[in-house]
Amino acid sequence: MAERFLPCKVLQPLTSFDRGYLKDNHYDTVCVIDGSQVPTELANCFAARKSIDEAFDSETCCFKSDALDCRVVYAPVGKLTDFDDVRRYSEAAGKALDRAIKAGAKQPVLVVPSSKDFSEADLVSVLGALAKLYVPLQLREDVPEKRQRFVQIGFFHPDKAKLELIVKEAKAFEAGLFVARDIGGGDPERMAPPRVEQYVSDGVYNSKLIVSSVISDHNVLVKEYPLFAAVNRAAVSVPRHQGRLIFLEYKSGSNPTKTLILVGKGVTYDTGGADIKAGGVMAGMSRDKCGAAAVAGFMKVVEQMQPQDVHVIGVMCMVRNSVGEECYVSDEMITSRAGVRVRVGNTDAEGRMAMADALCQMKERVIAEKMPDAHLFTIATLTGHAVLAVGNHSIVMDNGPARASGHGQLLQEEGEKIGDPFEISILRKEDFEMHSGKCYGEDVLQANNLPSSRTCRGHQSPAAFMMLSTGLDKHGLKSERPIKYSHLDIAGSAGDIPDPPTGAPILALARAHLLR
């Protein structure tokens, strides 16, 4: 099952090098990224080249090893400063595989390094190599002969037991990242909501482990998910664009002691709606579904790892923010699932609308089913402000109970180890004041009429909106039923065209919540 979600065949780990072994297993290239950790058979070759080339340890190169009678690619990690992080290893592995492809390699082997500074450098290196080999879904479907960039890949490390664990974990992670890239990277038609439903139901998950259900009836959406239905309204008249709420659920065999619920923004294309995106900034808006894609990928990791004592629910809020005579508009007053009267301020703030009712429903389930140690999440490419604030990192914003548990620090620490970095933002009273009702008769203002990038605290306040519009603001530390909630803005970390989606924040979430 996992092999379908790997970029090529991953061979059993290698723990020794010799010329005959490489030839017998058809390896044609050895990729090295740490010049201080090369196989013995390459030591003399590396020393000789280093003695005549001062740039040897700083630039990627390709040459032949007579000792192994094969091609060698060296993409050095280089000297690390106080401000570098473990991503230097994934970047180096990616460069090595890139150079190997250009050299004509089909069956490379990566020498997996260890690091005193970064405990997960070995795993991150393997993941960096696998990520470079990903082939977009539509290319795989349209041009089958290009479905793989390599026939197979191998990994070398002298510690066999450790390497087997690294490769096993990397395969589980890569399966989830692969699914997230497929959904997040698909164009607006290939991954329109009905086709996301089709993709998810087409054997992505072991149905014995992950139970799925879908809501597509517009009448049900209008009644039970009115904020979502408002965004969906313009797309309803086009069957291939009609919205979907996709639910994925995993329960371990034992009684769960922990509950994770992830709600993802799945806007398959964001025109901005009536507040249409102008000036050429609409290009790339097919990536506005990367939050839901990350939810789908995380559930794939859950399926692969089968964590015990945990109950995991994923909700993919798949909708197209279309523009037309049926589109919702600013000034509309819509009552949310929680009974909160919401006034629309900007139709380009559709992501929070798409997620809020599903988030409310999950809050209801937590209470009704008395779910243990529940933690709710929203995951979204939500604001341009997030990109301005932290660049290509993810941002975590915790409510009172989540913050009191130390969640933000935990997620940041685990993300730092695995190369999926987070910055922490704190929700403050100004964020709630921003969305408090301004007109008599409204409870909550959905958004102001400026882009988030021109709004003070533009990435923090949407989390306050989602709490206010769902009633989660009534479940703080001093309430009778505190509920942990975290909003993750991945607008800067999800990956923009022309690069493939990154799968953020799957790795950090898995490390923080599945492997501890």
Side-chain angles (χ1 to χ4, degrees), residues 244-255:
R244 297 288 192 273
L245 285 173
I246 302 171
F247 298 84
L248 305 167
E249 190 159 359
Y250 165 87
K251 287 185 178 179
S252 59
S254 55
N255 292 326

Side-chain angles (χ1 to χ4, degrees), residues 5-6 120 123-124 127 130 166-181 297-298 300-302 304-305 418 503 506-512 514-515:
F5 302 100
L6 292 174
E120 303 295 343
L123 174 59
V124 170
L127 288 169
L130 294 177
I166 291 168
V167 172
K168 180 181 179 181
E169 191 171 353
K171 283 183 175 182
F173 282 148
E174 175 60 22
L177 295 169
F178 195 97
V179 169
R181 293 188 202 109
F298 184 81
K300 184 65 183 177
V301 174
V302 170
Q304 294 290 297
M305 293 187 168
I418 200 69
I506 292 172
L507 298 178
L509 282 171
R511 292 292 303 234
L514 300 182
L515 298 181

Side-chain angles (χ1 to χ4, degrees), residues 156-306:
F156 167 83
H157 191 283
D159 187 331
K160 180 180 180 181
K162 183 176 183 179
L163 185 57
E164 287 178 345
L165 288 174
I166 291 168
V167 172
K168 180 181 179 181
E169 191 171 353
K171 283 183 175 182
F173 282 148
E174 175 60 22
L177 295 169
F178 195 97
V179 169
R181 293 188 202 109
D182 274 0
I183 295 174
D187 78 20
E189 293 297 326
R190 176 59 186 89
M191 281 300 171
R195 298 196 71 184
V196 175
E197 175 191 0
Q198 180 187 38
Y199 176 89
V200 169
S201 63
D202 188 24
V204 168
Y205 304 106
N206 181 338
S207 60
K208 294 181 180 178
L209 296 172
I210 306 292
V211 177
S212 64
S213 60
V214 179
I215 297 175
S216 59
D217 188 313
H218 186 60
N219 292 324
V220 174
L221 294 172
V222 169
K223 181 181 179 182
E224 298 186 21
Y225 308 90
L227 300 182
F228 177 95
V231 180
N232 186 45
R233 203 164 69 203
V236 169
S237 61
V238 183
R240 71 180 191 277
H241 293 163
Q242 292 174 353
R244 297 288 192 273
L245 285 173
I246 302 171
F247 298 84
L248 305 167
E249 190 159 359
Y250 165 87
K251 287 185 178 179
S252 59
S254 55
N255 292 326
T257 58
K258 180 176 182 177
T259 309
L260 299 174
I261 303 177
L262 290 71
V263 178
K265 175 186 176 183
V267 176
T268 60
Y269 200 73
D270 181 17
T271 67
D275 288 298
I276 197 162
K277 293 180 183 289
V281 298
M282 206 184 294
M285 284 299 105
S286 60
R287 294 289 178 87
D288 218 9
K289 58 187 179 307
C290 282
V295 170
F298 184 81
M299 295 304 293
K300 184 65 183 177
V301 174
V302 170
E303 177 223 70
Q304 294 290 297
M305 293 187 168
Q306 299 180 41

Side-chain angles (χ1 to χ4, degrees), residues 64-142:
K64 182 181 178 182
S65 164
D66 292 329
L68 293 177
D69 189 27
C70 77
R71 182 189 298 114
V72 176
V73 169
Y74 179 39
V77 174
K79 294 182 179 179
L80 303 177
T81 73
D82 293 346
F83 304 101
D84 282 311
D85 59 56
V86 73
R87 288 176 297 168
R88 285 287 293 269
Y89 285 85
S90 62
E91 291 163 1
K95 288 179 182 178
L97 271 293
D98 245 351
R99 186 65 182 86
I101 291 168
K102 291 177 181 178
K106 295 298 179 183
Q107 301 181 155
V109 55
L110 176 70
V111 179
V112 179
S114 301
S115 170
K116 295 182 297 182
D117 300 312
F118 305 110
S119 61
E120 303 295 343
D122 40 22
L123 174 59
V124 170
S125 300
V126 173
L127 288 169
L130 294 177
K132 183 57 67 173
L133 304 186
Y134 172 77
V135 175
L137 172 66
Q138 286 169 264
L139 182 58
R140 301 199 311 270
E141 292 177 335
D142 297 344

Side-chain angles (χ1 to χ4, degrees), residues 417-437:
K417 292 176 186 175
I418 200 69
D420 192 6
F422 266 89
E423 300 289 356
I424 300 172
S425 283
I426 297 173
L427 296 178
R428 300 191 182 277
K429 65 181 181 63
E430 289 88 349
D431 302 315
F432 293 86
E433 291 168 357
M434 163 76 178
H435 291 282
S436 62

